[in-house]
């Protein structure tokens, strides 16, 4: 049995070293030049695999993502339909995302960018502040990541609601489900966080119409969006025009339709945008390789794979 990394845009040697450290017994191969005999390869981990590579592995049993999302794998139009795909659900990855979401909700809540600007100009401006209980946070996507962020924000004191396909039951967190309840969810939300996966249903969901439906009665004087899901979910021109029109107060964006973000994107220098380079929850090589190796061993023992992706739903 051999395991193959197909990581055209990642530092594959770092991942190979990590896998060798946490699972020295696994025969690790690397696409494109260290594949060896392809008939040995039964497992692969891929991120943006070029077309036909996965398809060319005759004895492949499982395709693994090295992150929570699988859109970068499903982009391959030649992906064999019958091979299961598994994704990562690990406390390290989830904890990193929760840190990011809590950091940026608090940054907007405490108006830290205004304070930074004042410091630069030596302005002592002790403007009125508000309590967490007055700022309503709404999280789109109440899966592994959304749920953990919701609980931590609730514990700080924010009124939190989540929106997902199916209804959730979490103490102290209001649940909205499905397209029918989307508008009601937006209407009660001052800070909108997206932790949705990229699927045809979520493409472009953060658009001008969505922004216009957000609450305008919150203590910041306008709504805020935080997108750490996927860039395909945001219509970047709509975000900029909503910011410029005063319909949106501020945006934190970690993900973009094109990554790296093009140098001529107006988002880079927009005064109301906080931009981070898709680093909300980085996959730590050793932690994730240990997770992947665990799933391989589970599969080899004939046990159920952890976190199997539903290819029809796309996540
Ligand atoms: P997950 O456990 O699969 O959760 C996905 C959530 O989205 C579920 O609650 C699901 O609803 C909901 N959802 C999906 N399609 C929907 C739709 N059309 N309408 C309403 N709700 C919908 O995924 P996760 O582990 O939390 O990760 C979420 C995403 O975060 C990943 O797919 C990835 O894109 C992103 N991510 C980003 C970074 C980063 O660094 N920026 C890092 C890690 C992950 P149900 O619960 O009803 O199924
Ligand atoms: C990163 O974006 C992930 O999907 O884990």
């Amino acid at each position: 049995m051999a395991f193959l990394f197909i990581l055209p845009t990642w530092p594959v040697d770092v991942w190979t070293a990590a896998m060798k450290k946490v699972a020295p017994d696994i025969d690790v191969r690397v696409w494109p030049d260290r594949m060896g005999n392809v008939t040995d390869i039964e497992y692969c981990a891929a991120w943006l695999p070029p077309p036909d590579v996965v398809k060319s592995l005759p004895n492949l049993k499982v395709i693994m993502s090295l992150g929570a999302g699988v859109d970068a794998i499903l982009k391959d139009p030649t992906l064999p339909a019958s091979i299961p795909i598994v994704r990562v659900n690990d406390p390290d990855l989830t904890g990193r995302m929760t840190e990011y979401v809590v950091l940026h909700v608090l940054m907007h809540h405490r108006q830290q960018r205004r304070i930074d600007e004042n410091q630069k100009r030596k302005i002592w401006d002790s403007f009125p502040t508000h309590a967490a209980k007055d700022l309503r946070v709404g999280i789109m996507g109440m899966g592994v990541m959304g749920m953990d962020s919701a609980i931590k924000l609730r514990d700080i004191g924010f009124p939190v609601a989540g929106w997902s396909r199916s209804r959730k039951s979490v103490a102290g967190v209001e649940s909205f489900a499905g397209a029918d309840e989307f508008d009601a969810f937006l209407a009660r939300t001052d800070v909108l966080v997206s932790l949705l996966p990229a699927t045809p249903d979520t493409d472009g969901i953060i658009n001008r119409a969505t922004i216009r439906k957000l609450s305008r009665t919150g203590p910041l004087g306008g709504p805020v969006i935080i997108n750490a899901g996927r860039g395909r979910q945001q219509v970047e021109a709509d975000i900029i025009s909503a910011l410029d029109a005063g319909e949106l107060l501020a945006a934190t964006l970690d993900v973009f339709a094109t990554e790296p973000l093009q140098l001529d994107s107006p988002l880079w220098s927009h005064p109301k945008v906080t931009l981070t380079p898709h680093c909300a929850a980085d996959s730590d090589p050793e932690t994730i390789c240990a997770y992947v190796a665990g799933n391989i061993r589970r599969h080899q023992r004939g046990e159920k794979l952890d976190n199997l992706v539903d290819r029809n739903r796309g996540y």
Side-chain angles (χ1 to χ4, degrees):
M1 182 284 277
F3 165 85
L4 177 71
F5 278 121
I6 311 169
L7 304 176
T9 58
W10 289 30
V12 74
D13 289 340
V14 173
W15 283 84
T16 309
M19 186 58 110
K20 284 189 173 151
K21 184 166 174 200
V22 301
D25 56 310
I26 293 182
D27 176 2
V28 180
R29 311 277 179 88
V30 178
W31 174 87
D33 49 359
R34 283 173 275 159
M35 290 183 48
N37 182 348
V38 294
T39 61
D40 301 339
I41 298 167
E42 295 184 9
Y43 301 91
C44 77
W47 195 267
L48 290 173
D52 293 329
V53 175
V54 176
K55 188 182 155 193
S56 72
L57 305 170
N59 295 322
L60 190 67
K61 294 191 171 129
V62 184
I63 305 166
M64 308 195 156
S65 170
L66 297 176
V70 289
D71 47 300
I73 295 176
L74 294 175
K75 255 188 185 159
D76 175 359
T78 65
L79 211 63
S82 57
I83 301 184
I85 301 175
V86 291
R87 66 187 202 95
V88 172
N89 166 3
D90 181 87
D92 180 87
L93 194 68
T94 305
R96 289 167 190 244
M97 180 58 85
T98 300
E99 288 171 11
Y100 183 90
V101 172
V102 170
L103 170 72
H104 286 272
V105 169
L106 284 173
M107 185 191 76
H108 293 291
H109 165 59
R110 300 300 302 241
Q111 303 181 65
Q112 188 58 44
R113 289 208 41 177
R114 176 173 173 177
I115 292 170
D116 291 342
E117 207 44 50
N118 285 342
Q119 182 180 347
K120 268 189 229 150
R121 297 180 191 187
K122 299 186 181 172
I123 298 172
W124 187 272
D125 174 22
S126 53
F127 52 83
T129 56
H130 54 270
K133 70 172 177 43
D134 298 325
L135 190 72
R136 293 163 300 171
V137 181
I139 301 181
M140 300 199 285
M142 282 291 282
V144 176
M145 305 263 166
M147 193 75 83
D148 195 59
S149 290
I151 289 167
K152 303 290 175 1
L153 289 166
R154 175 204 67 190
D155 290 350
I156 293 172
F158 293 104
V160 180
W163 179 71
S164 39
R165 284 182 0 144
S166 54
R167 197 168 305 288
K168 309 293 176 203
S169 175
V170 186
V173 176
E174 201 177 351
S175 173
F176 292 82
D180 290 350
E181 296 180 16
F182 189 48
D183 287 3
F185 162 76
L186 295 174
R188 55 71 64 205
T189 292
D190 301 316
V191 177
L192 179 69
V193 178
S194 178
L195 290 174
L196 286 167
T199 71
D201 288 338
T202 64
D203 279 351
I205 194 166
I206 307 172
N207 55 40
R208 194 78 181 258
T210 298
I211 291 167
R212 285 189 172 138
K213 289 175 189 165
L214 288 166
S215 158
R216 250 142 262 282
T217 59
L220 292 173
V224 170
I225 57 168
I226 298 173
N227 185 8
R230 279 292 184 266
R232 274 165 48 185
Q233 285 153 26
Q234 69 206 11
V235 181
E236 288 169 11
D238 283 11
I239 292 176
I240 291 168
S241 53
L243 287 167
D244 291 342
E247 289 173 9
L248 187 62
L249 188 78
T252 288
L253 307 174
D254 182 57
V255 285
F256 303 89
T258 303
E259 295 180 3
L261 182 63
Q262 311 94 298
L263 289 177
D264 61 356
S265 167
L267 291 170
W268 282 108
S269 52
H270 199 290
K272 297 178 180 172
V273 173
T274 300
L275 186 155
T276 54
H278 199 144
C279 62
D282 279 340
S283 293
D284 173 66
E286 282 188 27
T287 310
I288 302 303
C289 283
Y291 178 85
V292 165
N295 235 347
I296 291 175
R297 299 195 204 293
R298 210 167 287 120
H299 188 257
Q300 287 183 313
R301 289 194 298 266
E303 295 168 18
K304 235 176 101 217
L305 286 161
D306 244 3
N307 293 302
L308 202 56
V309 169
D310 178 336
R311 304 253 305 241
N312 291 324
R313 287 187 322 186
Y315 67 96

